[in-house]
Amino acid sequence: MKLIVGLGNPGKEYKNTRHNVGFMVLDNYLGKVNWKMKMENYFYLTEVNGEQIMFIKPLTYMNLSGLAVSKIVNFYKIDPKDILIIQDDLDMDLGAYKIKRNSSSGGHNGIKSIITELNTDKFARLKIGIGKNKLIPTEKYVISKFSTKELS
């Protein structure tokens, strides 16, 4: 089984915020699917070329993402090499992206939580740039909404 995790914060107040890029990518990729709840996650299970793929959106809020992710990983005995985490990245230009594997959290609290709970950093990450605004404190900026122009 492969696991693809979109990081974000649950709740309508966080919809279309920078920290919710992981949720947004999954929603855009999967379209309208029937998300179910399991072990503090929304999840959607499908099969591609005979391989089961589980998509999850943790419901524990960003800084505790590792708690929800580890429940799924431990229950299904998923190897870290079969995990992809989709996260926001402040240090990248808006819309830029890169894939990293086996690296530190880079200061991202959601990734830090996952590394702590899984006791490894040996998983892949799709980092999506959200830009940075030095005039707004980071903790406020990451939960600010994208403008209509930024979303287009």
Side-chain angles (χ1 to χ4, degrees):
M1 177 181 285
K2 306 288 187 196
L3 179 65
I4 300 176
V5 180
L7 293 185
N9 286 309
K12 289 181 181 181
E13 67 271 30
Y14 296 107
K15 185 176 170 84
N16 293 329
T17 60
R18 297 171 195 285
H19 236 4
N20 274 34
V21 162
F23 283 12
M24 293 167 71
V25 168
L26 291 186
D27 289 339
N28 187 281
Y29 177 72
L30 294 169
K32 296 240 184 247
V33 297
N34 186 21
W35 290 97
K36 297 179 180 166
M37 284 185 64
K38 184 177 210 151
M39 296 181 233
E40 297 185 80
N41 293 281
Y42 282 129
F43 81 97
Y44 175 72
L45 189 61
T46 190
E47 193 172 296
V48 176
N49 297 329
E51 178 85 50
Q52 280 196 317
I53 302 176
M54 180 179 281
F55 296 88
I56 66 170
K57 297 191 279 188
L59 297 174
T60 51
Y61 291 94
M62 182 64 76
N63 294 354
L64 300 174
S65 296
L67 296 173
V69 171
S70 67
K71 287 179 181 183
I72 295 291
V73 169
N74 293 333
F75 184 82
Y76 289 99
K77 309 220 180 322
I78 300 171
D79 189 313
K81 72 175 178 47
D82 292 327
I83 300 171
L84 172 66
I85 310 289
I86 304 168
Q87 68 171 97
D88 61 287
D89 192 307
L90 270 170
D91 296 324
M92 294 172 55
D93 291 337
L94 181 67
Y97 61 91
K98 68 180 169 186
I99 294 179
K100 299 271 295 189
R101 183 178 284 282
N102 309 340
S103 64
S104 73
S105 68
H108 191 287
N109 289 328
I111 297 296
K112 202 178 294 182
S113 173
I114 293 168
I115 290 171
T116 298
E117 292 298 323
L118 297 182
N119 198 30
T120 186
D121 62 4
K122 306 294 186 226
F123 50 86
R125 286 165 235 175
L126 173 57
K127 301 171 92 173
I128 311 282
I130 60 169
K132 189 183 279 187
N133 184 330
K134 294 179 183 175
L135 301 175
I136 303 172
T138 300
E139 62 277 2
K140 291 198 186 307
Y141 181 72
V142 296
I143 60 170
S144 68
K145 292 193 182 288
F146 287 107
S147 69
T148 304
K149 182 180 177 185
E150 289 173 320
L151 288 173
S152 61

